[in-house]
Amino acid sequence: MGAIAQVVKELKIYQGKFKTFKDFCEKALDRSRSYIERLIKASKIVIELAQMGFSKLPVNEAQARPLTKYQGMN
């Protein structure tokens, strides 16, 4: 969900129906923007770890969250 939300945010795909990304998160996904932002960060971590060759990866946002402080991305 995080990777898809990132694409929606970056390409502003939500703009046809929603005024802001926050509106999209709250109305379409029924989640807060802060939660979706955490999912986006977590998905970046999982993708980065997979690209580095790790076979054991976090399976949810809570497992990936502590790793975000070590990530080179925003």
Side-chain angles (χ1 to χ4, degrees):
M1 184 176 191
I4 293 170
Q6 180 181 358
V7 171
V8 169
K9 181 181 177 185
E10 287 179 3
L11 299 179
K12 299 183 179 185
I13 296 170
Y14 60 85
Q15 285 187 325
K17 279 185 138 180
F18 303 96
K19 196 171 192 176
T20 64
F21 184 67
K22 180 183 180 204
D23 287 343
F24 168 74
C25 294
E26 292 173 353
K27 294 174 183 168
L29 304 178
D30 197 30
R31 301 284 188 261
S32 69
R33 180 182 178 173
S34 61
Y35 177 71
I36 298 301
E37 294 289 351
R38 288 194 307 267
L39 288 181
I40 290 170
K41 286 181 182 181
S43 69
K44 287 179 182 180
I45 288 289
V46 172
I47 291 167
E48 192 174 314
L49 291 171
Q51 289 173 340
M52 288 191 278
F54 285 89
S55 58
K56 291 189 178 185
L57 300 171
V59 295
N60 57 48
E61 182 267 336
Q63 290 178 349
R65 185 182 323 142
L67 301 172
T68 61
K69 58 181 130 180
Y70 302 110
Q71 187 180 27
M73 296 182 255
N74 294 337

